[in-house]
Amino acid sequence: MASVSIASVNKSFGSHPVIKDVSVEIADGEFVILVGPSGCGKSTLLRIIAGLETINSGTLAIGDRRVNDVEPKDRDIAMVFQNYALYPHMTVAANMAFSLVQRGVAKAEVERHVHEAAAILEIEPLLSRYPKQLSGGQRQRVAMGRAIVRNPKVFLFDEPLSNLDAKLRVQMRGEIKALHHRLATTMIYVTHDQIEAMTMADRIVVLRDGKVEQIGSPLDLYDHPVNLFVAGFLGSNGMAFFRGNYRDGQFVSSDGLKLPFATRGDLEGRDVVCGVRPDDFILTDDGVDATVDVLEPTGSETQMLARWGSQKFTSLFRGRLTAPPGSSVRLGIAPGRAHVFDAESGLRLDGQPPCHA
Amino acid sequence: MAQDHPLPSISPDVRRSWWTPARRDHFIGYLFILPQITGLVVFVLVPLALMAWYSLNEWNVLAGTFSFVGLGNYEKLATDPALPGVLWASACFSVGLVLFNLSLALLLAVLLNQKLAGTVVFRTIFFSPVVVSLVAWAIVWRFLLQQDGGINAVLRMLSIDGPNWLRGPNTAMVSVIVVQVVKNVGLNMVLFLAALQNVPQELYEAARVDGASRWTQFFRITVPLISPTVLLTSIITVAGSLQVFAQIAVLTEGGPGTSTTVLVYYLYQQAFQFHFFGYGASLAMLLLLIVGALTYLQWSLRKAWVYDND
Amino acid sequence: MIKSRSRLALALYALMAVLCIPFLFPTWWMITSSFKPVSEIFAFPPTLLPRQFVTDAYGRVFELQPFARQYFNSLYIAVAVTTGTLAFSSLAGYAFARIRFPGANLLFMLVLTGLLIPSEVTIVPLFQMFLDVGAVNTHWPLILVPMLGAPSALQTFIMRQFFSGLPHELEDAARIDGLGRFAIYHRIALPLAKPALAAVGIFTFLYSWNLYLEPIVFLSSPDKFTLPQALTQFVDAYGGPMWNIQLAAASLTAIPVLVVFVIAQKQFIEGLAYTGLKG
């Protein structure tokens, strides 16, 4: 087991920079998820940690060892790939044993490790099969088994669940988390799926255009996004955003409507974007009339698409609601739950320092 | 260089920074391609350069003469009374071969692509001449095409008096083309068949829903979707048709007259039977020019008639 | 409806059966005629099966020429060319597909040049080059040129196309598992390239087996001859072919390859089709 330290790392492909001065400290035994839209550099960063890509500047350390120039095989890491990367011409057992055999581990020892890992993942009956005879979920397990067998200091996962169907993905999510709990090894996990990031990570690193936007625990990021990008990226229903400015301490939308946001004397005259998560809207007589566009009941909760002036948003309520399209409901915002960002820079404007835990 | 200051700069670290994993990988890459590239330089580039040089010289191997004549061989090329006939024969052979080969290959592939039992047997039969030794194949056909050979014997049983196939100028050319097509059509057939099987079935279902007839389906769906394969096979077939030698040598020896003397056969005669190496080299330059021009032409025309989903 | 379908099927079968004749009949005629006495070969009406079954011609094949030796020549040259081509084309194809070394594009242009140059074009200078090193009337030109020269460019091209299609992840996984470049090529890429290697191997073997211009240019002594060249040498004093002997020799040349083909026709044809589509 080991910590991973990424310090001021830069990487470019030709003249095109893909990782820009990224620094992340990952503690021993931590489960860290790198998340961001496609092309943000998250997979490249993972491949840099694996040693599959070299870096142009900066320092990469695993444990106390600087590994900038160390070959992948000597970094004591294991990687689970998006398409599993199982060797098609080898059985499951041979796939799992391959790296140990490569390192010259004794045969009996190899077999013991393979069977242990197979037992953990419940794939013992599959050991003599070939990858093409397995289902997607089974291949996924074998790929994890191959990583476990190495008993690495760090596990690296590159979008390992993206090829599974939704139900299997939820199940594997739980299993990977349980595996982390059981092995207590450092895990670094790349995904573009913010739900995976929210549900599995100890800490999340949000990346955009090769730069770190924010690092923090899932709920930190959810509650205190440092900028509009992070605010919009995390959370299963997109955050509702309202453009406007503060007049006399009151938020006035670009349509000229006074919206029920908390008064902020310090932001007088400033162009801002106010954000509200869908479940932070409340039905209250003190609220402002919103026009209902669509009501989507799912049984336990009701999603409402509505408008304040020309600005559309999604809100979510527990239980059931009845409001015909075109009717009005009075909506407010739960106290302390609104997010205010600078319209120009996109940075959070709540006086709190951004979370860099 | 002053020796009293030991140079600290050549530390192991510095050397390692030159011999990086990336450089090592490049080195391995060069090692991997070394045999092939060496071979191409020695057996393609050097001969091409030598050939260009020979073509500027009068070189009679028998007489042992070798003298620089500048463009003399090319002037000879331009005035060689036999050459127009040779080029005409080459053109007839290539055009006939390509058209007949591609259309027969497509017909056979379409037939095999019908879901009928036993098509594997037919596929094996149509492909089998590909694996028969070329000269053996030509010998058998020469045997069959004689005045009193098997084909005329069959015709005689039908009371038809067959010609002496390989001795008449027109029948000789037709015979040579047919023999060559039957020998090699299996290759193109297999490529077409694979392409046909790659056309998604639902396109035909959609077309049927849209009310397209079988002909319309074939010309509006099948042909466009297999056109990349048609291009590939036509390039291979055109290039191959210009290289035909053994069949001509065995079947007709270029005759009667020069009616089946194609360019490669003429080159062989000039260089290795009459020992005009210099003139042979200039003929080779001409062949190279023709192959290059035809390949370029087909490649640049591909936009016009090949469906490409990239 | 069903009736018209089965009538259509019948018509298709009939058409295919007719089309089979030129593909099957020559081989049949070659084999049966080689067992007929000379008098029966040109008999009218022709006989589909030998009325009188004789094997004299087969004996004469080996008397008139060192035919066993020539058979061996063709075989060992084809095997050498095929083995060498498989090794060198797959190495070069792998490197061009997977290793990003400086100058790769320029060097690949050289391969494409080889692809477009018919080997007949360079036969004159090649002859002179081999003459200069004393290798005329040896088998070296017949081995080296197909293995490394213009004919091998196509094989390298096919291998490169195949390796380009292999998933990168497999190689990443192999690197993490501790394999170097050569081991990745040898233990991961090559085992997965079996279909492409089979196709390249078959193509190369047939190419070498069929060569005719090169042997007649380079070889002059009968014990060095290859089969295609030897076949045309069974002639009488006037240069006319000794038909029954020539046909017997042709049968001996063709039948073994045909038998191998019929046994393995599936791998044969599908391998070629597969690679052709990729390439």
Side-chain angles (χ1 to χ4, degrees):
Chain A
M1 291 194 289
S3 60
V4 174
S5 160
I6 301 162
S8 315
V9 164
N10 281 286
K11 163 81 185 170
S12 42
F13 290 125
S15 61
H16 177 63
V18 283
I19 298 292
K20 301 165 189 163
D21 197 30
V22 166
S23 297
V24 185
E25 292 295 327
I26 296 166
D28 186 11
E30 206 176 8
F31 195 135
V32 168
I33 290 189
L34 311 178
V35 72
S38 61
C40 70
K42 56 192 189 298
S43 282
T44 308
L45 188 56
L46 193 77
R47 291 169 59 80
I48 284 171
I49 300 169
L52 295 170
E53 304 283 356
T54 54
I55 53 182
N56 300 107
S57 67
T59 307
L60 179 69
I62 297 177
D64 300 329
R65 182 160 154 246
R66 183 178 185 269
V67 294
N68 284 26
D69 299 319
V70 175
E71 285 284 308
K73 65 180 162 91
D74 300 321
R75 292 192 179 195
D76 220 346
I77 46 106
M79 188 155 169
V80 177
F81 293 89
Q82 181 171 12
N83 298 305
Y84 321 132
L86 300 175
Y87 306 124
H89 56 302
M90 299 182 194
T91 61
V92 167
N95 262 287
M96 289 170 68
F98 193 71
S99 65
L100 296 186
V101 173
Q102 216 48 46
R103 278 191 261 176
V105 176
K107 205 174 167 213
E109 180 90 344
V110 171
E111 240 162 71
R112 193 172 57 78
H113 280 292
V114 169
H115 278 278
E116 270 176 22
I120 292 174
L121 296 163
E122 297 167 13
I123 51 172
E124 283 158 307
L126 308 179
L127 283 176
S128 58
R129 295 212 202 155
Y130 284 90
K132 63 166 182 256
Q133 300 167 303
L134 305 179
S135 69
Q138 288 169 329
R139 285 180 205 181
Q140 180 59 56
R141 274 166 211 270
V142 174
M144 276 164 46
R146 178 166 71 172
I148 293 172
V149 164
R150 297 177 62 111
N151 191 22
K153 284 184 183 151
V154 181
F155 279 99
L156 306 175
F157 293 88
D158 188 5
E159 309 221 15
L161 304 184
S162 56
N163 286 341
L164 301 179
D165 65 49
K167 200 173 160 194
L168 205 50
R169 207 179 301 166
V170 173
Q171 186 195 340
M172 290 305 295
R173 223 153 71 187
E175 289 194 23
I176 292 177
K177 217 173 164 182
L179 189 71
H180 177 244
H181 190 67
R182 175 180 182 147
L183 302 173
T185 309
T186 314
M187 289 188 177
I188 305 173
Y189 186 112
V190 161
T191 182
H192 64 268
D193 178 351
Q194 54 86 24
I195 301 180
E196 269 175 40
M198 292 296 289
T199 52
M200 295 166 77
D202 291 335
R203 273 195 308 154
I204 295 176
V205 178
V206 182
L207 290 159
R208 179 170 61 154
D209 291 338
K211 282 198 292 241
V212 173
E213 294 284 314
Q214 193 173 5
I215 303 178
S217 73
L219 293 182
D220 257 352
L221 264 52
Y222 189 82
D223 291 338
H224 304 286
V226 292
N227 56 30
L228 276 172
F229 175 75
V230 177
F233 191 75
L234 294 177
S236 32
N237 292 299
M239 188 185 270
F241 292 115
F242 302 94
R243 304 195 143 268
N245 53 21
Y246 273 93
R247 290 182 211 157
D248 306 331
Q250 279 262 313
F251 177 75
V252 180
S253 80
S254 50
D255 298 324
L257 283 172
K258 278 190 180 168
L259 295 184
F261 286 90
T263 52
R264 287 284 293 270
D266 56 329
L267 298 176
E268 190 61 32
R270 228 160 139 172
D271 286 334
V272 295
V273 175
C274 281
V276 187
R277 298 216 178 266
D279 46 338
D280 289 333
F281 287 96
I282 50 175
L283 295 162
T284 166
D285 290 340
D286 299 337
V288 172
D289 272 334
T291 314
V292 178
D293 281 335
V294 182
L295 218 54
E296 294 177 342
T298 60
S300 63
E301 44 192 33
T302 306
Q303 187 164 297
M304 184 170 80
L305 309 184
R307 256 180 297 142
W308 266 331
S310 66
Q311 307 207 32
K312 297 184 176 190
F313 59 90
T314 302
S315 54
L316 190 68
F317 303 95
R318 301 220 36 90
R320 305 179 182 194
L321 277 182
T322 40
S327 66
S328 305
V329 284
R330 288 186 87 82
L331 290 181
I333 292 157
R337 303 299 296 173
H339 308 265
V340 184
F341 304 94
D342 183 78
E344 203 168 320
S345 68
L347 290 177
R348 186 178 188 82
L349 292 174
D350 60 0
Q352 289 182 32
C355 296
H356 265 294
Chain B
M1 266 255 158
Q3 290 295 314
D4 44 301
H5 285 293
L7 294 170
S9 61
I10 308 179
S11 66
D13 244 330
V14 172
R15 237 182 297 160
R16 184 153 31 107
S17 75
W18 187 84
W19 190 238
T20 54
R23 284 221 164 77
R24 219 182 120 224
D25 209 36
H26 297 165
F27 179 71
I28 294 170
Y30 292 125
L31 277 186
F32 273 35
I33 62 167
L34 186 65
Q36 171 77 88
I37 293 298
T38 310
L40 289 173
V41 169
V42 174
F43 299 125
V44 178
L45 283 194
V46 171
L48 279 177
L50 281 176
M51 188 178 72
W53 169 241
Y54 293 168
S55 75
L56 301 177
N57 289 277
E58 167 96 43
W59 182 7
N60 188 316
V61 179
L62 276 194
T65 53
F66 187 96
S67 55
F68 185 79
V69 292
L71 295 175
N73 283 317
Y74 292 99
E75 280 162 24
K76 186 174 165 190
L77 202 76
T79 54
D80 184 346
L83 198 61
V86 168
L87 291 178
W88 175 245
S90 289
C92 288
F93 180 81
S94 291
V95 171
L97 180 93
V98 170
L99 291 182
F100 186 33
N101 187 325
L102 292 184
S103 44
L104 182 61
L106 191 56
L107 171 69
L108 294 177
V110 169
L111 284 175
L112 292 180
N113 198 34
Q114 308 302 316
K115 276 132 205 77
L116 292 175
T119 45
V120 172
V121 176
F122 287 107
R123 192 182 68 175
T124 309
I125 290 169
F126 293 140
F127 193 84
S128 62
V130 172
V131 304
V132 171
S133 165
L134 183 55
V135 169
W137 182 256
I139 284 175
V140 179
W141 277 93
R142 184 178 167 198
F143 179 58
L144 282 168
L145 288 166
Q146 294 176 95
Q147 179 77 66
D148 48 359
I151 287 173
N152 281 346
V154 172
L155 290 177
R156 234 165 97 196
M157 289 166 76
L158 305 169
S159 309
I160 300 171
D161 206 11
N164 189 348
W165 297 93
L166 298 172
R167 291 284 173 265
N170 293 327
T171 54
M173 178 57 81
V174 171
S175 303
V176 173
I177 291 173
V178 169
V179 170
Q180 177 64 3
V181 167
V182 174
K183 168 83 172 80
N184 273 342
V185 73
L187 275 177
N188 287 344
M189 171 195 80
V190 164
L191 294 177
F192 282 151
L193 186 57
L196 288 175
Q197 285 164 351
N198 262 14
V199 178
Q201 202 58 40
E202 66 248 34
L203 289 184
Y204 293 113
E205 285 160 9
R208 262 167 55 200
V209 171
D210 291 343
S213 71
R214 276 181 160 259
W215 285 113
T216 315
Q217 287 176 37
F218 182 76
F219 285 107
R220 301 299 292 274
I221 296 173
T222 310
V223 172
L225 284 177
I226 66 169
S227 57
T229 307
V230 176
L231 174 71
L232 177 81
T233 51
S234 67
I235 288 180
I236 295 173
T237 312
V238 168
S241 74
L242 291 167
Q243 297 169 42
V244 65
F245 174 76
Q247 305 81 319
I248 303 282
V250 173
L251 284 171
T252 65
E253 296 178 51
T258 57
S259 62
T260 58
T261 304
V262 295
L263 195 49
V264 171
Y265 193 77
Y266 190 60
L267 189 166
Y268 168 78
Q269 283 182 325
Q270 293 296 320
F272 295 100
Q273 289 186 336
F274 308 141
H275 302 284
F276 299 129
F277 267 34
Y279 189 51
S282 62
L283 286 169
M285 293 297 277
L286 180 64
L287 176 60
L288 187 62
L289 190 73
I290 294 173
V291 171
L294 284 180
T295 308
Y296 176 78
L297 194 69
Q298 290 179 87
W299 191 246
S300 46
L301 283 178
R302 79 189 189 284
K303 280 263 145 42
W305 62 280
V306 172
Y307 161 79
D308 195 349
N309 58 2
D310 293 340
Chain C
M1 184 68 192
I2 289 170
K3 204 172 171 195
S4 80
R5 268 194 71 84
S6 68
R7 205 179 293 163
L8 179 68
L10 206 64
L12 290 175
Y13 277 124
L15 180 56
M16 283 198 283
V18 171
L19 285 170
C20 273
I21 294 171
F23 293 84
L24 270 185
F25 184 69
T27 310
W28 172 263
W29 199 241
M30 167 179 77
I31 297 169
T32 53
S33 297
S34 71
F35 289 108
K36 291 174 187 170
V38 182
S39 56
E40 194 186 331
I41 281 186
F42 292 111
F44 185 84
T47 52
L48 265 185
L49 280 168
R51 241 171 319 190
Q52 198 188 340
F53 190 87
V54 292
T55 56
D56 298 1
Y58 285 85
R60 298 277 288 148
V61 166
F62 292 90
E63 282 166 26
L64 289 172
Q65 286 197 78
F67 195 72
R69 172 77 215 182
Q70 292 161 344
Y71 214 106
F72 173 76
N73 290 343
S74 262
L75 200 60
Y76 102 82
I77 290 171
V79 168
V81 169
T82 306
T83 316
T85 301
L86 286 176
F88 298 136
S89 303
S90 63
L91 276 170
Y94 177 83
F96 281 122
R98 276 299 199 259
I99 306 178
R100 275 175 282 165
F101 51 90
N105 286 338
L106 193 69
L107 290 167
F108 194 65
M109 286 295 293
L110 186 55
V111 175
L112 293 179
T113 309
L115 202 65
L116 295 177
I117 306 270
S119 52
E120 290 78 5
V121 165
T122 50
I123 190 81
V124 173
L126 279 175
F127 178 79
Q128 195 55 40
M129 286 164 69
F130 280 104
L131 191 66
D132 288 343
V133 296
V136 162
N137 202 27
T138 71
H139 291 146
W140 285 112
L142 305 186
I143 296 173
L144 289 179
V145 176
M147 187 163 82
L148 294 167
S152 69
L154 174 66
Q155 320 297 13
T156 293
F157 185 76
I158 291 176
M159 290 314 298
R160 186 195 87 116
Q161 294 300 93
F162 181 86
F163 286 127
S164 300
L166 279 187
H168 281 275
E169 274 192 354
L170 278 181
E171 294 187 28
D172 290 340
R175 276 181 71 192
I176 291 179
D177 281 345
L179 298 191
R181 263 302 172 194
F182 186 77
I184 292 176
Y185 157 79
H186 175 66
R187 298 182 54 190
I188 307 295
L190 268 195
L192 297 176
K194 273 181 196 153
L197 288 171
V200 165
I202 291 167
F203 261 132
T204 311
F205 188 93
L206 290 177
Y207 180 86
S208 170
W209 191 254
N210 279 336
L211 271 190
Y212 182 64
L213 175 64
E214 287 78 357
I216 65 173
V217 166
F218 284 109
L219 303 179
S220 49
S221 39
D223 65 331
K224 299 263 172 53
F225 282 1
T226 60
L227 285 175
Q229 190 180 10
L231 290 184
T232 58
Q233 304 290 316
F234 291 103
V235 288
D236 57 28
Y238 307 103
M242 297 189 276
W243 281 116
N244 52 341
I245 303 172
Q246 224 173 41
L247 292 172
S251 301
L252 285 172
T253 308
I255 291 170
V257 189
L258 267 175
V259 169
V260 172
F261 163 68
V262 171
I263 294 169
Q265 60 88 16
K266 198 173 148 68
Q267 287 77 358
F268 234 80
I269 291 178
E270 276 156 24
L272 292 185
Y274 175 78
T275 315
L277 268 195
K278 300 261 153 175

